[in-house]
Each structure stands twice: as C-alpha cells, then as structure tokens.
C-alpha cells in the first residue's frame, strides 16, 4: 500500500509551504482540526501567512501557537473574538495582526465557489452591514444583495477520518465541516487522517472527497499537542 501521496510524517507533509502562503485551515469548534499538521507548522519556518478558518484559535494550542510565533499576518474567519481566542485578541488589539471577518455561510460559499470555478455570486447576507462595505450591491427580485468573490488558498490543510493510498477521503460526522470545500479550493491539499487503507477498501459511494483534490496524506502521529512558544 504505497503511494507518492502518502507522506511519512506531518513535518514532511508541510515542509515546503512557502512564506506568504494563504492557508485554508479546516475545523469547526474542536471538530475536524488537523492538529498534528498544526504542530508541524509550529516547527516550520514559513511566515507572513494568511489563514482562512472558521475561528481564530482556541487557548494556547494549534493555530494559537502559530499566532504567538508571529507567523500569521492575517486571519480571515467568522468567529474572531470568542472567549477562547485570547491569543488572537491580544495580537489584534496590539495591531500585530490583520482581520477580515465574514459571515460563516458567506465564507463557506466563497471557498466553495473557488473550488467550483464560479467567478462571483450575489447573496443577501451582510447587506447594510460592515460585511458589505466597499462591495457592489444591487436589487434582484426585490431583494438587496451583495456581490462576493471566490476565496481560494495556496494550500488547504485539512482533517479527514480515513483515506486510501490514492487520497480518497471520508469524514466522520460533523468533523467534515469546512474540510470538504477547502479540499477543492487550493492547488495543494494536505490531509491528516486517522487511518490509511488500501485502494478499494473505501466503497465508491462512501468517498466524500475524491482523490483528484488531494495531493498529500499523512496519518496523524499524536505529536505533542501541548502549547509551544
């Protein structure tokens, strides 16, 4: 069961992510977060990153470690100021990081549009709020709408439950969240999984993300997930 998509470690899988990359980071709350890949990123020198994700980190682990290290210049997310995102909040109030905050559905659809080749779309979400500032608005069928554009990444860093050696993925329950759409919206998708199986083990009808969207797969090693600074 060998494949050039299966990498020996999380550190090897992220080793060539460049400075200035836009990273689509999967996860919602505590579910579907590629924690081992984030630990590997903490040991990786890439800086000036833009991270697109649902929330701005929890406590002092995962994404928060990258924030503490000063590796992230901008966050694009839906939930930036929840109580557990205190690392981001400190940096933002000190003017050390940029923020673009989006309605959650709009962010998901912008990412999906990037993967689907959609040039732009109109949505009523955000009309008359800061989310619509500087954007084209119009009235369609008597409803005010705002024009939104795709949100692609250079790299998608995501989590799935199972992969085969070709890179076909399945997710477990709500751990899917943003991961499937992010897999389609970047030229390089790196996936942390709990299990890697031989091709053919995953039934075709059970494939949630086809292998064509996946370039690298690594089995999570249970790296030291404690905070690092």
């Amino acid at each position: 069961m060998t494949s050039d998509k299966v990498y020996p470690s999380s550190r090897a899988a992220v080793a060539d992510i460049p400075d200035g990359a836009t990273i689509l980071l999967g996860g919602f709350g505590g579910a579907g977060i590629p924690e081992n890949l984030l630990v590997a990123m903490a040991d990786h020198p890439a800086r000036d990153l833009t991270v697109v994700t649902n929330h701005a980190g929890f406590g002092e682990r995962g994404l928060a470690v990258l924030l503490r290290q000063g590796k992230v210049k901008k966050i694009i997310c839906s939930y930036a100021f929840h109580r557990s995102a205190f690392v981001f909040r400190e940096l933002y109030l000190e003017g050390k990081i940029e923020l673009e905050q989006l309605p959650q559905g709009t962010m998901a659809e912008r990412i999906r549009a990037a993967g689907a080749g959609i040039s732009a779309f109109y949505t009523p979400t955000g009309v008359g709020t800061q989310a619509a500032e500087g954007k084209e608005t119009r009235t369609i069928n008597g409803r005010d709408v705002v024009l939104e554009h795709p949100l692609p990444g250079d790299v998608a860093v995501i989590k799935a439950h199972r992969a085969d050696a070709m890179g076909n993925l399945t997710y477990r329950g709500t751990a899917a969240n943003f991961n499937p759409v992010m897999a389609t919206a970047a030229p390089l998708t790196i996936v942390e999984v709990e299990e890697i199986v031989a091709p053919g083990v995953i039934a075709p009808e059970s494939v949630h993300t086809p292998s064509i969207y996946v370039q690298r797969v690594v089995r999570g090693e249970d790296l030291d997930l404690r905070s690092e600074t």
Side-chain angles (χ1 to χ4, degrees), residues 8-14 34-43 61 192 218-228:
S9 68
S10 294
R11 290 182 173 88
V14 304
E35 297 215 41
N36 287 281
L37 290 173
L38 284 172
V39 172
M41 285 295 297
D43 293 333
R61 62 188 290 168
E192 175 184 328
V218 63
R219 186 178 182 276
E221 314 89 317
D222 294 324
L223 295 174
D224 185 353
L225 300 180
R226 295 172 298 177
S227 63
E228 302 176 25

Side-chain angles (χ1 to χ4, degrees), residues 162-215:
R162 175 184 286 183
D164 66 22
M166 296 176 65
N168 295 300
L169 307 179
T170 63
Y171 306 92
R172 177 177 285 175
T174 59
N177 51 70
F178 283 90
N179 288 303
V181 291
M182 287 181 170
T184 71
L188 172 59
T189 294
I190 305 172
V191 188
E192 175 184 328
V193 297
E194 298 168 28
E195 182 182 14
I196 300 175
V197 299
V201 171
I202 302 175
E205 64 271 20
S206 297
V207 172
H208 300 147
T209 294
S211 61
I212 192 172
Y213 294 115
V214 175
Q215 286 70 50

Side-chain angles (χ1 to χ4, degrees), residues 129-148:
T129 72
Q130 288 183 337
E133 289 182 1
K135 299 176 182 177
E136 177 189 330
T137 58
R138 61 185 296 185
T139 302
I140 299 178
N141 295 327
R143 193 174 193 185
D144 292 339
V145 291
V146 60
L147 183 68
E148 297 283 359

